[in-house]
Amino acid sequence: MVQPVNHDPITLGRKSLPASPEDASIGQDLLDTLQAHEAECVGMAANMIGVHKRIIAVNDEGTYRLMYNPEIIKKSGNYETEEGCLSLPGVRKTARWKTIKIRFLNENFSLRIKTFTGFTAQIIQHEIDHCDGVLI
């Protein structure tokens, strides 16, 4: 179900707790909300819909991916960029990695390790920052 977007920097600045299979409906709500905002948004974290669980949804070049408890385990190619956020007004500078390897649980809660590059890697990093309470 599409949920309202959280715009409160105080609650967005809180760290999220690990997700479990009981949080699958939150993941689906997050995915539904991202797809409803596809014209202005390419990724969302659960705290953007008011739930402090480590769940992200990203648009990976037209394929929507849902990730529970994502964690960066390897990174390379540091660069600086500017990013905006559906939850916060404006654009801000930030540092990112060109290539990241992440460990996460997929929509079936199966463990996956995958390498992402380019814009998809940037989106994932932004959403993991949300999970960590880091506002960009």
Side-chain angles (χ1 to χ4, degrees):
M1 178 186 320
V2 176
Q3 299 294 325
V5 176
N6 178 12
H7 298 283
D8 178 20
I10 293 172
T11 58
L12 289 167
R14 288 182 30 210
K15 284 185 97 170
S16 296
L17 299 172
S20 68
E22 290 77 29
D23 299 316
S25 64
I26 298 166
Q28 187 58 55
D29 286 352
L30 186 61
L31 198 55
D32 292 344
T33 305
L34 174 59
Q35 290 173 325
H37 291 278
E38 68 181 340
E40 67 239 354
C41 186
V42 291
M44 294 186 81
N47 66 354
M48 294 175 68
I49 59 170
V51 180
H52 292 282
K53 293 288 186 158
R54 292 189 69 83
I55 308 169
I56 67 171
V58 299
N59 182 339
D60 179 9
E61 299 178 3
T63 299
Y64 287 95
R65 295 186 183 273
L66 191 56
M67 301 177 185
Y68 294 88
N69 303 321
E71 173 188 7
I72 297 172
I73 57 175
K74 189 175 181 181
K75 54 195 173 189
S76 65
N78 193 24
Y79 69 100
E80 190 172 290
T81 189
E82 290 185 344
E83 295 178 354
C85 182
L86 185 63
S87 288
L88 301 168
V91 175
R92 289 156 292 285
K93 289 185 179 183
T94 188
R96 293 288 179 226
W97 300 96
K98 290 179 185 175
T99 302
I100 58 171
K101 181 184 275 190
I102 66 167
R103 178 177 28 234
F104 64 98
L105 301 174
N106 69 7
E107 66 279 355
N108 299 315
F109 285 86
S110 297
L111 180 63
R112 297 287 184 256
I113 296 176
K114 184 165 174 55
T115 299
F116 294 91
T117 60
F119 190 52
T120 301
Q122 183 179 335
I123 298 165
I124 292 169
Q125 290 170 81
H126 181 103
E127 303 316 329
I128 289 175
D129 278 352
H130 268 295
C131 292
D132 292 335
V134 176
L135 301 181
I136 300 299

